[in-house]
């Protein structure tokens, strides 16, 4: 199992993620953060292979967030989820995020499927098919 940092809006959401990880026996691999500074602290303590972040947490500088994550965890697959201006989304992907899944899709299965596809496309970016805005 890869190491994962999940950046969410609220302590309750962080508790829910941590509880799910514990139930699955993955507590050592999954960490949470509820603010940008906390996310950077977690990454300084131990880099992550995957960073899942709510765009509400990365604002007002999603591009800067992406760059700071990559400075602490080079090679991390960063996936942002939530509403974002198309220009900012494109700039965030250009800065190194694997992708950004917009908040307009209310079909949970579609959102999860897009996330899995983007995270599974690790080698594609180096073969010419880069990350995408969903």
């Amino acid at each position: 199992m890869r190491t994962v940092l999940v950046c969410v809006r609220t302590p309750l959401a962080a508790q829910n993620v941590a509880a799910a990880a514990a139930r699955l026996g993955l507590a050592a691999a999954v960490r949470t953060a509820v603010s940008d500074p906390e996310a950077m602290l977690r990454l300084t303590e131990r880099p992550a292979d995957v960073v899942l972040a709510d765009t509400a947490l990365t604002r007002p500088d999603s591009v800067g967030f992406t760059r700071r994550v990559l400075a602490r965890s080079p090679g991390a697959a960063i996936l942002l989820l939530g509403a974002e201006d198309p220009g900012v989304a494109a700039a965030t992907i250009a800065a190194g995020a694997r992708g950004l899944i917009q908040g307009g899709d209310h079909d949970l299965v579609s959102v999860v499927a897009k996330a899995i596809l983007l995270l599974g496309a690790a080698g594609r970016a180096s073969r010419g098919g880069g990350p995408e805005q969903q």
Side-chain angles (χ1 to χ4, degrees), residues 5-132:
L5 176 64
V6 182
C7 305
V8 292
R9 297 180 199 200
T10 67
L12 180 59
Q15 288 174 339
N16 289 336
V17 169
R23 280 192 304 274
L24 295 169
L26 300 172
V30 178
R31 294 171 296 150
T32 61
V34 296
S35 69
D36 184 320
E38 184 181 5
M40 296 310 127
L41 177 63
R42 296 283 173 263
L43 294 171
T44 299
E45 293 168 348
R46 183 178 59 164
D49 297 314
V50 175
V51 176
L52 303 173
D54 186 318
T55 56
L57 184 130
T58 67
R59 282 190 203 102
D61 187 12
S62 295
V63 173
F65 176 87
T66 299
R67 289 181 179 143
R68 289 188 303 279
V69 167
L70 290 173
R72 288 164 178 81
S73 292
I78 304 167
L79 182 59
L80 303 178
L81 298 108
E84 192 62 85
D85 175 83
V88 173
T92 301
I93 291 167
R98 179 71 49 87
L100 189 141
I101 299 174
Q102 296 288 343
D105 191 345
H106 298 295
D107 177 11
L108 183 58
V109 174
S110 295
V111 171
V112 171
K114 288 176 186 178
I116 291 169
L117 292 169
L118 284 168
L119 290 172
R124 248 186 52 187
S126 62
R127 293 193 305 264
E132 297 185 13

